[in-house]
Amino acid sequence: MSKSSIRRSQADRSASTISRVLDAASDVLAEKGYQGTTTTLVAERAGVSRGAILHHFPTRSALLLAAAERLLEEEVTAFRRAVDAIPEGVDRHHAAIDFLWQGARGNRHRAWTELSFGARSDSDVADAAAGFSRHMHERITQVWTDAFPESQDVLVAGLAPDFATALLDGVAHRMLIGAVSPQRATELVEALKALSNLFFNPEGDTQ
């Protein structure tokens, strides 16, 4: 085997290890919360040694921030793909809201929530996570703008992504802690869709 092939093989193994570790970190965050997520637990979940984790992520904070950045990147990528795949004849704003709601209840979002709330006592992690979040919302807004150019003449169009994600995140959190029932959560999501009709589609035409 040539040296270049050996280097590629090593790079592939390293990338595979990093991917498994970040997947495991996300899963442990979602299940155990920020304080309960340790490099030992992540190593066990990923099926690697703790030393292997420390080789790529020297500190717990570095690991969790890498997991956070990856989570948000996946959220944006998934939203763009979902919007691009909305079929003809479907209310596109409703379909986008449905996807955001599905994401708000998913494992990725729960992991992100656990990190962003739990890291408030760790200023370095909290500041970096806040920066990631702002960047994500900017990109979500851009996806929305690209997907719904016809809505840009509407006064509230620029607020729509933040308004929708803020409401859906809040409903998902309240449902998670048992403060709102799944039925009530569904009603709130449907209310958001009705508001989207008023804002973006007052004549009742499907977009």
Side-chain angles (χ1 to χ4, degrees):
M1 182 180 291
S2 67
K3 290 183 178 179
S4 61
S5 296
I6 292 172
R7 284 195 295 269
R8 283 197 300 271
S9 179
Q10 291 171 338
D12 289 344
R13 287 197 299 271
S14 179
S16 176
T17 297
I18 291 172
S19 181
R20 294 207 315 275
V21 167
L22 294 180
D23 284 343
S26 297
D27 290 343
V28 176
L29 269 169
E31 294 173 14
K32 304 295 184 181
Y34 181 75
Q35 298 299 332
T37 299
T38 65
T39 53
T40 299
L41 282 177
V42 173
E44 291 174 356
R45 181 64 60 91
V48 302
S49 68
R50 186 168 178 271
I53 289 182
L54 295 177
H55 173 72
H56 296 289
F57 306 103
T59 65
R60 175 177 177 269
S61 294
L63 169 63
L64 296 184
L65 285 174
E69 188 170 21
R70 187 185 197 222
L71 284 168
L72 296 183
E73 182 65 32
E74 289 174 345
E75 288 282 307
V76 174
T77 299
F79 183 55
R80 182 176 290 279
R81 287 175 178 167
V83 169
D84 289 344
I86 296 173
E88 293 291 333
V90 172
D91 188 302
R92 301 179 72 244
H93 293 112
H94 289 194
I97 289 169
D98 281 336
F99 179 79
L100 290 173
W101 175 232
Q102 180 183 10
R105 292 175 294 157
N107 207 51
R108 282 198 305 253
H109 194 272
R110 181 170 180 177
W112 166 251
T113 300
E114 294 289 350
L115 184 142
S116 57
F117 278 94
R120 287 178 300 167
S121 60
D122 186 337
S123 60
D124 290 339
V125 176
D127 290 346
F132 293 158
S133 183
R134 287 191 295 269
H135 182 57
M136 180 198 72
H137 281 292
E138 289 171 0
R139 292 178 63 193
I140 288 287
T141 298
Q142 188 59 56
V143 173
W144 187 283
T145 300
D146 293 344
F148 306 117
E150 72 281 355
S151 299
Q152 299 316 300
D153 292 334
V154 180
L155 181 63
V156 298
L159 300 176
D162 279 341
F163 180 79
T165 53
L167 186 143
L168 296 173
D169 288 355
V171 173
H173 178 69
R174 292 181 65 199
M175 191 167 70
L176 180 64
I177 65 174
V180 65
S181 68
Q183 178 180 350
R184 184 61 171 172
T186 298
E187 292 170 354
L188 290 168
V189 174
E190 292 304 312
L192 178 60
K193 291 181 185 178
L195 283 175
S196 79
N197 290 342
L198 293 175
F199 289 149
F200 300 114
N201 192 19
E203 302 302 322
D205 298 326
T206 301
Q207 297 183 0

